[in-house]
Amino acid sequence: MKHNKKRNTAFLYECLIKELTRAIVREDKKRQTITKNILKEFFYKGSTLKEELTLYTSLVPEFSRRLLEETKIDYLRSNRKAAFNQQTTLINKINKQLGAGVFSNFVPNYKDLASLGLFFQNTKLEAKKRIILENNLIKLLGRKDKLLTEMKHLDNLEYKTFVSKFNNAYERTLQKEQKELLTNYIVSFSDNGLGLKSFLNEEIGRLKNAVQQRIVEGNDDLNNENFKKVKVKLDKYSQTPINQQMVEEIFYIQDLIAEVTKNGRKD
């Protein structure tokens, strides 16, 4: 059974998410913009590929073979020609604007996406192969909780691997809070920003406390004045819509706090 990964909508989506992560870590704003525009163009709510992506993610642990069959029926009833044409346009756009290397991005759950792709795409499998594939999918989805844990671990390993490659550009290792900020920002468009809002609510509070402590403890008038300006900026965030500029500013405030804390320990 041969699987064409470029005709697997979930795989294309995951590759773009990985590419966006790389662009953010590299501070490659041009590539960030291109990748985000492609994601918005092809995966907006109600689009052909967004609806197909939903089919891949609709299978949950509390399912039966019947749900598996019904999901495939929904897949086959969807406009396959429109999906194929959209995939073709998306593949061409990725090749031209980002390069074929995007398709080589590490996708931790690729084997599972490939199994789902084979299940959806192959309508002429002989009975034995079809049953084997269905049984494998049932086992896969039945261990979804464990699978997600394994995938998270792999994601963290992969994230650390390519973040370390760009430490020379940053001249230091990313702080834990910065990694969390980047991760929440990267996936914010897929959950309406709920995860990012929740994280920023706690993180801005932590930064405010850290800045206030520096103001109270500070003996340097110039530094005190600068910290007061940072505090004003942090206070204003509660009245400002979350955008890329805010995320970038918080990223560097995190760096500032980490640096002064490190220097304070040395003293």
Side-chain angles (χ1 to χ4, degrees):
M1 294 181 286
K2 189 176 181 181
H3 173 250
N4 185 346
K5 65 181 182 181
K6 291 183 182 179
R7 293 298 170 181
N8 185 317
T9 297
F11 171 76
L12 295 175
Y13 177 81
E14 290 293 333
C15 281
L16 286 168
I17 292 295
K18 291 295 179 183
E19 193 61 30
L20 181 58
T21 306
R22 290 178 184 276
I24 289 174
V25 173
R26 285 175 171 169
E27 293 186 311
D28 188 336
K29 293 186 178 180
K30 180 179 179 181
R31 205 166 180 84
Q32 284 179 48
T33 300
I34 292 172
T35 308
K36 284 191 287 187
N37 286 342
I38 291 175
L39 282 163
K40 289 176 181 177
E41 179 180 352
F42 291 92
F43 292 98
Y44 63 88
K45 187 176 181 180
S47 70
T48 300
L49 295 187
K50 175 63 175 179
E51 290 179 356
E52 184 161 314
L53 179 65
T54 301
L55 290 174
Y56 277 86
T57 58
S58 65
L59 296 169
V60 296
E62 295 77 19
F63 70 99
S64 62
R65 187 181 294 272
R66 173 71 183 278
L67 178 57
L68 204 59
E69 293 169 352
E70 290 298 322
T71 304
K72 184 167 185 175
I73 290 173
D74 288 342
Y75 176 88
L76 295 175
R77 282 177 178 170
S78 63
N79 191 330
R80 302 311 316 142
K81 183 176 181 180
F84 184 87
N85 291 339
Q86 282 289 292
Q87 287 174 338
T88 300
T89 304
L90 172 58
I91 292 166
N92 289 337
K93 186 156 288 192
I94 290 173
N95 280 327
K96 291 178 181 178
Q97 297 188 15
L98 295 171
V102 170
F103 302 114
S104 298
N105 280 339
F106 172 63
V107 176
N109 57 335
Y110 171 70
K111 289 183 179 179
D112 302 326
L113 294 179
S115 294
L116 284 169
L118 282 171
F119 174 71
F120 284 142
Q121 296 165 12
N122 286 278
T123 57
K124 298 180 180 179
L125 285 178
E126 60 182 71
K128 183 177 179 181
K129 289 183 179 179
R130 186 176 68 252
I131 292 172
I132 290 174
L133 181 57
E134 289 177 359
N135 286 338
N136 287 340
L137 281 173
I138 288 174
K139 290 177 182 177
L140 161 68
L141 296 170
R143 64 180 178 89
K144 190 171 183 181
D145 290 339
K146 181 181 178 183
L147 174 67
L148 289 175
T149 302
E150 292 170 352
M151 284 168 54
K152 182 177 181 182
H153 178 62
L154 285 170
D155 274 333
N156 288 339
L157 285 176
E158 196 268 350
Y159 191 66
K160 288 176 184 176
T161 299
F162 81 74
V163 165
S164 67
K165 291 179 182 177
F166 308 120
N167 277 342
N168 289 334
Y170 280 98
E171 296 183 348
R172 44 119 176 99
T173 303
L174 292 176
Q175 304 296 324
K176 173 178 174 290
E177 293 81 8
Q178 289 175 314
K179 291 178 185 178
E180 291 178 359
L181 174 61
L182 287 176
T183 301
N184 279 286
Y185 175 66
I186 289 162
V187 302
S188 62
F189 62 88
S190 65
D191 66 353
N192 294 320
L194 294 177
L196 181 60
K197 289 175 186 175
S198 177
F199 171 79
L200 286 178
N201 184 50
E202 294 185 11
E203 181 61 5
I204 289 174
R206 182 187 74 84
L207 293 172
K208 282 183 181 179
N209 291 335
V211 169
Q212 184 60 40
Q213 184 178 351
R214 289 293 161 183
I215 293 173
V216 172
E217 296 176 353
N219 297 316
D220 186 320
D221 290 338
L222 179 59
N223 279 341
N224 254 19
E225 191 61 32
N226 288 333
F227 277 119
K228 286 177 182 177
K229 290 178 181 178
V230 173
K231 178 71 161 50
V232 170
K233 183 175 285 291
L234 287 169
D235 287 336
K236 287 182 178 179
Y237 285 150
S238 62
Q239 304 166 352
T240 307
I242 298 173
N243 54 34
Q244 183 171 333
Q245 181 180 344
M246 180 192 292
V247 172
E248 289 177 353
E249 289 174 354
I250 292 173
F251 185 90
Y252 290 111
I253 292 174
Q254 289 174 322
D255 213 23
L256 170 67
I257 296 301
E259 189 63 28
V260 296
T261 300
K262 181 180 177 182
N263 290 338
R265 287 170 183 166
K266 287 180 180 179
D267 296 340

